[in-house]
Amino acid sequence: MNLLCRVLLSMFIIGSFAVDTRNQGVVNIGAIFTLRSINGRVAKIAMDAAVQDVNSNPNILRGRRLNLFVHDSNYSSFMSIIGTLRFMEIDTVAVIGPQGSVLAHIVSHLANELHIPMLSFTALDPSLSPLQYPYFFQTAPSDLYLMKAIVDMVDYFGYKEVTAVYTDDDQCRSGIIKLGEKLAEKQCKISYKAPVLPEPLPTRKDIEIALLKVRSMESRVIVVHTYPKTGFTIFDVARDLGMMTSGYVWIATTWLSSVLDSNPSSVNSSSALGVLTLRLHTTDSPRKQAFESRWNKLTNSSIGLNPYGLYAYDTVWIIAYAVQKFLSEGGKISFSNDSSLSATGGHTLNLKALNIFDGGEKILGNILQSNFTGLTGPVAFRSDDRSPKNPSYDIINVMVTGYKQIGYWSNHSGLSIVTPETLLKKPGNISRLNQRLKNVVWPGGTTRRPRGWVLPNSERPLRIGVPNRASYKDIISKSNDNASNIEGYSVDVFVAAVKLLPYPLPYEFILFGDDRENPSYNQLVAQIRANVFDAVVGDIAIVTNRTRMADFTQPYIESGLVVVVPARRLNSSAWAFFQPFTLSMWLVTAVFFFVVGAVIWILEHRTNDEFRGPPRKQLATVLWFSFSTMFFAHRENTASTLGRMVLLIWFFVVFILTSSYTASLTSILTVQQLSTPITGIESLVVSNLLIGFQIGSFAENYLRDELNVPTSRLRQLGSPEEYADALERGHVAAVVDERPYVELFLSEHCKFQIVGQEFTKSGWGFAFPRDSPLAVDMSTAILTLSENGKLQEIHDKWLKRRFCSSQNSEEDSDQLQLRSFWGLFLVCGVVCFLALVLYWCLTLHSFRRFNRHSVNLSNEDVDQPALSIRPTKTSEHIRRFLSYADEKADISKNKLKRKQMESGMSSSRRIDFTRRYYGSKRIQAATISSVRYC
């Protein structure tokens, strides 16, 4: 604004030479460019051609002629402002320009005051807001979209950090700010900014100093956002400093592509080889091809056509169509004085020459509503931010013989090898899987994608801190053979991962700790932030407070806190089979068996013969039927519908009861029952028991800060031996530690076990400084080790669990033991024994009755007195008893009945009776028996 004030002081000079161009048959527009620049020369030729085409069609401006006044700013901001003021004196309806955003911020205030639209296709600063500058239009996509395209390229190639080299003016500075914002959206960042002085001030020495600083940085992805003259100097200096070789990634903004299109001979292919650049995309069409042919005639092939020439041509037509609509709606081109500009306080400034365009607001609205097809493609603007619709860019790779196009970027679909016009016909898809570019030739002529970063101070090895553990030496420890060597599970994983890196990584291990007790891992990770270590390798659990200090790799082993308690089991109960049901449940179940049996008897008694008979028989039937349904073993059939319905419901109840009983009994007999009341972390926290933890572990902070366990309940333990001693003596009720440590501990101490589930989920990883690319590369290497099985081999070498010798013994077996069922077997045995005793007593009693009646009948048959005749031999008596017991009960009864009937018969009648009673097959036996009785 100070520059503007100085210019206004010179207005009386301009007023003295003002030319009266007010003519009802002329429409004046102005243009401000540096005509010695490539874009200035191309724009001047394209605008003259557009004015010629507009004037050749009398229907466009209703017979008026379009006049174009071009002011050469000659790389001077001061002269640009002078030219702008001059245009506003000669009643121009619009101004094309300025060429740079620095001047646009100044002259836009004049445009706002005088209502004269300003249209620019080169001043693309994203900070030129339409809210602040309503009369300033960007007819080409702003640098916001250019930076979005660069960010998508950086993300596509997998880079996380870039270095920005830029001209320190409003346009380039604002672009870099937007670059940083868009990188942050992709979890990337600008690691270093190297500003250079604006043109024409920067010298080769200034650029060399800036690039030397860039070369010392870690990032090798460099974005150059500047102007052609400065940009080519940057590439020349970078080549001399060895920065255009393999390993570097250079991305230039549109300044490089404009030179490649218009003056390719000025590009030094050796200094720009492998550079990626972007170019404003324009739609191929017959009209564009015709203009390209016409261009060679207009320029005599002295300069090539670049996209800015096409945008210059379309910008003239935007103004022409806006004026045409204004005139067709009855508008008149008129200007009026601004009374506020006349109040100069007595100074002799010729501000009266500056007039307000009366139709400026309507022309501005017509420009916003532009909708036609130009040389660049469809011309239209968004109503919210007034930016061109569907911005897109070509992506170009500089080659030795020129350049090749490797793809496109569009705001609709991101990176693609298909033209944006084709993609606009489909739904937008900017997912990472949908991004695509052709192969790239990188600096140094290589086709292999550069890593994009190097280690700072790469002349020295990486300083890697390792914990000097006092316990669990299998994890990490000093070698017994050589105290300077470090070995263990974590070290082997790190070394194997380093071997998979696509570049050498020199390193040295540095012990952290006194070897008497485990060091604090929080303090160890903090050494990275303090720049003591470049990385930390070991059994470092990835927890929240540590991730605030460093970046971690992919976990190479899963971990989590678990609870360890003594594993003394309670003795199994001999009457465990009663435990599934309570006493009331047993009683109710038994009652229902009787009730259901009685109900079925009532329902079946009148219709079912199986439920009829003497009372004793029916009572037995009811009892048998009731309890046999428990095993679905009842013999009686149900005939009534009601009986079947009741029985169906009862079967369902019995099924549920037996299933529940089986499941509950199985759980009681198989689940380990510990003598401790601790079943997991929940029961441990709510108790008042003491808790042990490993020195240096994050378990202490987690118990105290996350679970609110008082510090008075926590006890430090330094080794597995201390774990075992504290648990056995009852100094602590449980130990909380990470699962890998606990598995090693339990492999040698079988009297303890884990209870409950893991109550944290984490893992062990290697720590690196924040935003270090090494963390990403090492994570990839760890995943490769996991996929090829090498990670499991290292785990088995150091941490494979050694089972205790007693773990296969009967005491520790999970199989069901006899002691859990001897009570059930005892009850069954007693019942069986009593049943047999009762059976044999009843059978013996029956035999004695049978034998006594047989003897009495024999004595009566021979007319002798009754005698108590006994067999002479005991063996004969036993044989007769066993024969009686073996006979069917019905046969024995019939035999006694037969003897009673035969007592009053003769011999012949006895034989006939025997034949009828036993049949012909038993006649001989019956005869023999009769003879003997005779």
Side-chain angles (χ1 to χ4, degrees):
M1 294 304 296
N2 292 334
L3 180 61
L4 179 60
C5 292
R6 291 196 299 269
V7 172
L8 291 176
L9 294 176
S10 306
M11 284 300 299
F12 69 96
I13 301 175
I14 301 173
S16 302
F17 299 96
V19 179
D20 186 8
T21 59
R22 299 180 184 179
N23 191 326
Q24 295 297 325
V26 176
V27 176
N28 297 323
I29 62 173
I32 307 172
F33 286 91
T34 298
L35 299 182
R36 288 191 299 164
S37 67
I38 290 178
N39 289 338
R41 292 172 58 193
V42 170
K44 173 65 168 58
I45 298 172
M47 288 187 296
D48 287 341
V51 170
Q52 181 181 352
D53 292 344
V54 169
N55 290 332
S56 64
N57 187 346
N59 296 324
I60 298 298
L61 298 180
R62 291 180 171 268
R64 295 172 182 259
R65 185 171 57 88
L66 186 64
N67 276 351
L68 173 67
F69 296 91
V70 179
H71 176 77
D72 185 4
S73 62
N74 196 25
Y75 295 105
S76 171
S77 298
F78 179 79
M79 295 303 297
S80 297
I81 296 174
I82 295 298
T84 304
L85 293 172
R86 174 174 174 267
F87 292 146
M88 294 180 179
E89 264 193 331
I90 59 177
D91 296 340
T92 55
V93 299
V95 175
I96 302 176
Q99 188 169 345
S101 297
V102 178
L103 182 61
H105 283 277
I106 298 175
V107 299
S108 292
H109 291 284
L110 293 175
N112 293 345
E113 185 67 29
L114 301 178
H115 297 179
I116 298 177
M118 299 191 69
L119 294 82
S120 179
F121 48 86
T122 54
L124 304 177
D125 183 358
S127 65
L128 287 168
S129 168
L131 296 177
Q132 184 179 6
Y133 308 109
Y135 282 85
F136 183 81
F137 254 90
Q138 292 173 331
T139 59
S142 75
D143 287 345
L144 169 65
Y145 300 101
L146 175 65
M147 297 307 164
K148 287 182 65 175
I150 293 175
V151 169
D152 283 351
M153 292 169 59
V154 171
D155 183 61
Y156 173 79
F157 292 117
Y159 302 126
K160 292 298 180 182
E161 296 184 7
V162 302
T163 298
V165 180
Y166 62 98
T167 296
D168 194 13
D169 61 11
D170 287 344
Q171 177 161 326
C172 295
R173 192 186 307 113
S174 296
I176 295 301
I177 291 174
K178 291 299 180 182
L179 175 65
E181 293 175 357
K182 295 302 176 181
L183 283 170
E185 294 177 1
K186 299 283 187 179
Q187 286 76 50
C188 305
K189 69 172 186 177
I190 299 176
S191 59
Y192 179 71
K193 296 180 180 179
V196 295
L197 294 174
E199 291 183 352
L201 298 178
T203 64
R204 186 180 180 89
K205 185 63 175 178
D206 295 331
I207 294 175
E208 182 177 351
I209 293 173
L211 291 184
L212 285 173
K213 184 63 176 178
V214 170
R215 192 176 65 174
S216 66
M217 295 293 107
E218 186 175 293
S219 174
R220 287 293 185 265
V221 181
I222 305 171
V223 176
V224 181
H225 186 41
T226 183
Y227 305 100
K229 182 178 179 181
T230 303
F232 286 118
T233 304
I234 290 173
F235 285 152
D236 290 340
V237 174
R239 179 192 57 189
D240 297 339
L241 295 177
M243 299 175 65
M244 299 302 297
T245 58
S246 59
Y248 283 87
V249 177
W250 290 86
I251 301 176
T253 52
T254 53
W255 63 267
L256 178 57
S257 63
S258 64
V259 178
L260 290 173
D261 289 330
S262 298
N263 192 10
S265 61
S266 64
V267 180
N268 189 336
S269 60
S270 62
S271 63
L273 175 64
V275 176
L276 297 176
T277 184
L278 295 96
R279 175 176 59 195
L280 286 167
H281 175 74
T282 55
T283 305
D284 288 332
S285 63
R287 187 180 178 189
K288 175 183 172 182
Q289 296 173 0
F291 187 78
E292 289 173 346
S293 301
R294 179 185 174 190
W295 182 264
N296 295 327
K297 298 178 182 179
L298 294 173
T299 62
N300 294 323
S301 300
S302 60
I303 189 171
L305 176 65
N306 64 35
Y308 292 106
L310 302 176
Y311 275 97
Y313 183 92
D314 285 349
T315 301
V316 173
W317 277 96
I318 290 174
I319 298 173
Y321 282 127
V323 173
Q324 178 192 27
K325 185 177 181 181
F326 173 74
L327 295 175
S328 64
E329 293 175 350
K332 295 182 179 180
I333 299 177
S334 61
F335 296 85
S336 59
N337 293 326
D338 187 353
S339 59
S340 61
L341 295 179
S342 302
T344 60
H347 298 288
T348 57
L349 296 178
N350 189 17
L351 297 179
K352 295 181 180 180
L354 302 179
N355 298 314
I356 296 176
F357 180 27
D358 297 329
E361 186 174 355
K362 291 185 178 180
I363 294 291
L364 186 69
N366 293 341
I367 292 174
L368 183 59
Q369 296 175 6
S370 298
N371 188 11
F372 67 95
T373 300
L375 297 182
T376 59
V379 177
F381 300 96
R382 296 168 56 92
S383 59
D384 51 355
D385 60 357
R386 303 196 311 191
S387 62
K389 292 183 178 180
N390 304 319
S392 55
Y393 295 88
D394 301 333
I395 302 176
I396 295 172
N397 185 199
V398 180
M399 312 289 289
V400 176
T401 57
Y403 64 86
K404 71 171 182 177
Q405 186 168 327
I406 62 172
Y408 306 89
W409 180 91
S410 68
N411 196 45
H412 179 71
S413 298
L415 301 174
S416 175
I417 58 175
V418 181
T419 61
E421 293 79 21
T422 303
L423 295 176
L424 281 174
K425 302 175 183 178
K426 304 177 182 179
N429 187 352
I430 58 174
S431 65
R432 184 176 178 84
L433 296 177
N434 196 51
Q435 306 301 286
R436 182 84 181 274
L437 289 176
K438 297 179 181 178
N439 294 331
V440 179
V441 176
W442 302 96
T446 179
T447 56
R448 183 175 181 178
R449 182 181 67 86
R451 189 172 73 211
W453 63 274
V454 294
L455 292 172
N457 302 319
S458 57
E459 65 274 3
R460 66 168 175 80
L462 207 65
R463 299 166 299 178
I464 299 179
V466 295
N468 192 5
R469 293 192 58 88
S471 61
Y472 295 113
K473 298 289 187 178
D474 291 337
I475 304 295
I476 193 167
S477 64
K478 292 184 294 186
S479 174
N480 294 329
D481 300 332
N482 188 347
S484 62
N485 290 338
I486 311 298
E487 62 180 7
Y489 169 64
S490 298
V491 172
D492 280 7
V493 173
F494 177 79
V495 172
V498 168
K499 292 179 180 179
L500 295 178
L501 296 178
Y503 49 85
L505 183 67
Y507 60 87
E508 61 176 349
F509 292 125
I510 303 174
L511 290 172
F512 180 81
D514 56 10
D515 199 25
R516 292 191 295 271
E517 65 178 24
N518 297 331
S520 170
Y521 281 22
N522 289 338
Q523 295 179 7
L524 175 58
V525 175
Q527 300 302 307
I528 296 178
R529 189 166 58 179
N531 202 29
V532 176
F533 296 136
D534 298 316
V536 169
V537 169
D539 47 333
I540 314 298
I542 305 173
V543 294
T544 303
N545 62 328
R546 294 173 187 171
T547 57
R548 297 190 182 103
M549 298 183 287
D551 281 351
F552 283 83
T553 62
Q554 169 81 16
Y556 60 89
I557 185 175
E558 292 184 356
S559 179
L561 294 178
V562 293
V563 179
V564 181
V565 297
R568 294 186 295 273
R569 293 182 177 86
L570 296 176
N571 294 328
S572 298
S573 172
W575 309 101
F577 59 89
F578 282 118
Q579 296 181 13
F581 288 166
T582 62
L583 177 61
S584 59
M585 184 66 182
W586 282 113
L587 294 176
V588 170
T589 302
V591 168
F592 264 87
F593 274 109
F594 286 108
V595 171
V596 170
V599 171
I600 294 296
W601 181 83
I602 294 172
L603 295 174
E604 298 288 329
H605 177 66
R606 296 186 62 188
T607 59
N608 194 337
D609 292 338
E610 296 185 7
F611 288 88
R612 297 183 65 84
R616 289 182 58 189
K617 178 184 177 183
Q618 293 307 301
L619 179 60
T621 299
V622 170
L623 294 177
W624 162 253
F625 181 85
S626 298
F627 288 99
S628 63
T629 55
M630 179 186 300
F631 310 102
F632 308 102
H634 56 286
R635 298 178 303 177
E636 295 78 11
N637 294 321
T638 53
S640 67
T641 302
L642 291 177
R644 291 175 179 176
M645 182 178 67
V646 171
L647 192 60
L648 179 64
I649 299 300
W650 178 242
F651 280 165
F652 180 76
V653 174
V654 170
F655 174 76
I656 297 298
L657 289 175
T658 54
S659 300
S660 302
Y661 179 87
T662 303
S664 180
L665 183 61
T666 302
S667 175
I668 292 173
L669 295 176
T670 58
V671 172
Q672 297 177 350
Q673 302 179 45
L674 303 179
S675 59
T676 175
I678 301 172
T679 58
I681 187 61
E682 294 83 3
S683 58
L684 179 61
V685 170
V686 299
S687 68
N688 293 321
L689 301 175
L690 299 180
I691 305 172
F693 65 90
Q694 183 183 175
I695 297 175
S697 171
F698 77 96
E700 178 184 11
N701 292 336
Y702 186 86
L703 291 170
R704 186 182 61 243
D705 300 336
E706 301 297 332
L707 301 182
N708 299 319
V709 177
T711 305
S712 59
R713 290 179 54 195
L714 303 179
R715 296 291 183 268
Q716 290 185 347
L717 302 174
S719 65
E721 291 72 22
E722 291 186 30
Y723 285 12
D725 183 69
L727 289 170
E728 288 179 350
R729 294 176 180 270
H731 295 165
V732 295
V735 171
V736 174
D737 205 350
E738 297 178 66
R739 180 173 286 277
Y741 301 125
V742 171
E743 290 180 351
L744 287 175
F745 169 71
L746 295 180
S747 67
E748 298 179 355
H749 299 81
C750 304
K751 298 179 180 179
F752 312 97
Q753 77 172 53
I754 298 172
V755 294
Q757 302 294 324
E758 286 185 359
F759 54 94
T760 64
K761 289 294 183 182
S762 61
W764 292 351
F766 305 135
F768 292 90
R770 295 299 300 271
D771 303 320
S772 172
L774 262 178
V776 178
D777 289 354
M778 288 294 290
S779 293
T780 303
I782 290 172
L783 289 174
T784 304
L785 291 175
S786 177
E787 292 171 357
N788 62 24
K790 183 66 176 178
L791 193 61
Q792 185 63 40
E793 293 179 9
I794 300 173
H795 178 275
D796 294 342
K797 174 185 175 182
W798 292 99
L799 304 181
K800 189 173 183 179
R801 183 165 178 165
R802 299 177 292 276
F803 293 96
C804 298
S805 59
S806 63
Q807 284 183 340
N808 294 325
S809 66
E810 183 179 356
E811 286 296 319
D812 292 331
S813 175
D814 287 335
Q815 293 179 329
L816 297 177
Q817 304 298 323
L818 179 61
R819 63 174 179 266
S820 300
F821 296 95
W822 73 263
L824 187 62
F825 289 124
L826 176 63
V827 171
C828 184
V830 169
V831 171
C832 292
F833 175 77
L834 293 177
L836 287 174
V837 170
L838 181 61
Y839 171 77
W840 287 114
C841 289
L842 295 175
T843 303
L844 182 61
H845 175 71
S846 177
F847 173 74
R848 292 182 63 184
R849 291 180 58 193
F850 174 80
N851 191 42
R852 184 171 60 252
H853 284 288
S854 297
V855 172
N856 292 335
L857 291 174
S858 298
N859 291 338
E860 293 174 0
D861 188 52
V862 295
D863 298 329
Q864 294 180 357
L867 297 175
S868 180
I869 301 175
R870 293 182 178 86
T872 58
K873 294 182 179 180
T874 305
S875 60
E876 178 65 17
H877 185 76
I878 294 174
R879 185 188 64 78
R880 292 183 62 194
F881 174 74
L882 294 177
S883 177
Y884 176 80
D886 184 56
E887 288 182 348
K888 191 174 182 181
D890 291 342
I891 296 177
S892 299
K893 293 179 180 179
N894 291 336
K895 186 181 293 184
L896 181 60
K897 179 179 180 181
R898 178 182 60 81
K899 289 184 179 294
Q900 293 173 349
M901 295 177 65
E902 288 178 346
S903 60
M905 297 180 183
S906 62
S907 298
S908 60
R909 291 187 63 188
R910 288 176 182 171
I911 294 174
D912 292 338
F913 176 78
T914 301
R915 182 182 296 113
R916 290 194 305 268
Y917 194 85
Y918 291 103
S920 59
K921 293 183 180 181
R922 303 278 314 264
I923 292 177
Q924 183 177 0
T927 303
I928 295 173
S929 178
S930 299
V931 172
R932 194 187 71 178
Y933 284 119
C934 294

